[in-house]
Amino acid sequence: AQKVTQAQTEISVVEKEDVTLDCVYETRDTTYYLFWYKQPPSGELVFLIRRNSFDEQNEISGRYSWNFQKSTSSFNFTITASQVVDSAVYFCALSEARGNTGKLIFGQGTTLQVKP
Amino acid sequence: DTGVSQNPRHKITKRGQNVTFRCDPISEHNRLYWYRQTLGQGPEFLTYFQNEAQLEKSRLLSDRFSAERPKGSFSTLEIQRTEQGDSAMYLCASSLKTGWAETQYFGPGTRLLVL
């Protein structure tokens, strides 16, 4: 069965702190895709990154970095030097290649509050 | 390039009434998805279209729900005989499916409140 678990419901940090959001997934498929989306208070889900199961190379984009480890089925997201504008709900999601459907299975989300 | 748009943004209705939501995808995107999100939860898949064909429906999509995508452009999601449990945010996403991978881009959602 497909499942995404984001164990951290809420995280609160002070501006400029680093913060890591955890994501653990379950799938029986060998080919799959992992995503992170940001949902600010306005409600619109904003795409951040897509990773395929064959590419375990970590990625950095500005203050954002992602650590993909197949051995532990984890795809963690780190924000370096957090800012107030990073405050949002962050979702990790999984999509399996089997069946050719791109439907996303989302975790429950982690609410990040960055205080000034 | 405009993003995914959804209308209305908010809808309040009384139990038993029918409601219809519209989604306009990013132009030239061949796939369109509908999700439902309740408070404190992640979005849950409802259904999706590839061009005008509806290819999959979730078990969450009861007989009271119907979706269409005529001509493979915009899509509508209709809920008949609304119930209080239908209160949620309804999200639409579109993607360009080429090869194996695709990335879904979401609209702002339609927030439904059933009284």
Side-chain angles (χ1 to χ4, degrees), chain B residues 23-89:
Chain B
C23 172
D24 287 90
I26 294 171
S27 60
E28 298 180 356
H29 275 191
N30 53 3
R31 283 194 169 183
L32 187 149
Y33 295 80
W34 285 99
Y35 293 84
R36 181 170 67 188
Q37 184 180 21
T38 53
L39 206 60
Q41 303 296 315
E44 295 175 295
F45 168 79
L46 291 178
T47 188
Y48 90 100
F49 294 83
Q50 179 151 321
N51 300 312
E52 67 274 10
Q54 187 173 18
L55 296 185
E56 185 174 346
K57 292 191 288 187
S58 163
R59 285 173 292 178
L60 292 174
L61 213 64
S62 76
D63 291 345
R64 297 183 297 104
F65 288 70
S66 63
E68 294 183 343
R69 192 184 183 199
K71 302 180 183 178
S73 56
F74 71 92
S75 176
T76 58
L77 177 68
E78 181 183 15
I79 309 175
Q80 296 182 328
R81 305 181 302 282
T82 52
E83 302 173 355
Q84 288 183 326
D86 297 331
S87 296
M89 173 82 92

Side-chain angles (χ1 to χ4, degrees), chain A residues 31 33 35 37 39 41-47 50 52 89 91 95 97-109, chain B residues 4 9 31 33 35 37 40-45 48 50 56 89 91 97 99-109 111:
Chain A
T31 303
Y33 302 92
F35 301 79
Y37 285 86
Q39 188 173 43
S42 61
E44 185 167 342
L45 281 161
V46 178
F47 166 74
R50 182 186 80 206
N52 75 54
V89 183
F91 290 98
S95 173
R98 180 174 43 143
N100 202 29
T101 168
K103 68 181 178 185
L104 295 171
I105 307 299
F106 286 87
Q108 290 194 305
Chain B
V4 179
R9 294 291 309 276
R31 283 194 169 183
Y33 295 80
Y35 293 84
Q37 184 180 21
Q41 303 296 315
E44 295 175 295
F45 168 79
Y48 90 100
Q50 179 151 321
E56 185 174 346
M89 173 82 92
L91 295 165
K97 174 71 170 176
W100 287 105
E102 63 181 283
T103 296
Q104 294 177 35
Y105 296 92
F106 284 80
R111 190 174 294 280

